[in-house]
Amino acid sequence: MEQGTGHETLVLHHMLDLRSAPELQKMLLAALQTQTAVTIDASFVSRMSTAALQLLIAFLAAARAQGIKVVISGVTASFSSAFEALGLGHLLETAGREVSA
């Protein structure tokens, strides 16, 4: 997690699966606690499990409820297809590929 003035950047790992879910959860919870804008850099993601997707969806909902701006950058085909496979592609459009949530 990179921290700047009033902004966090979360760089996601290339493999977001059940093994990496606890680390992802810690990273997302820490970002929520800062109460600052967040950019999620998904440019390295080559595989994403449903567990990781659930964590990201919960994070987006919590951030929205707290009024935290979230931008998702570097959306890979794997990252996008994980959302679309579950009929959740609209969440990427809402969170934004470089568009604020």
Side-chain angles (χ1 to χ4, degrees), residues 53 77 79-90 92-93 97:
L53 184 60
F79 188 88
S80 179
S81 67
F83 278 84
E84 291 170 11
L86 295 178
L88 300 171
H90 66 281
L92 281 180
E93 297 306 319
R97 294 178 180 169

Side-chain angles (χ1 to χ4, degrees), residues 44-76:
F44 297 106
V45 177
S46 61
R47 182 172 185 269
M48 185 162 59
S49 72
T50 303
L53 184 60
Q54 289 172 330
L55 288 172
L56 286 167
I57 291 166
F59 170 79
L60 292 173
R64 180 173 288 127
Q66 293 180 32
I68 298 171
K69 178 182 174 183
V70 177
V71 174
I72 301 175
S73 67
V75 175
T76 62

Side-chain angles (χ1 to χ4, degrees), residues 6-7 10-11 24 33 36 43-44 60 64-65 70 74 77 94:
H7 188 101
L10 308 178
V11 180
L24 176 62
Q33 291 175 353
T36 61
S43 60
F44 297 106
L60 292 173
R64 180 173 288 127
V70 177
T94 303

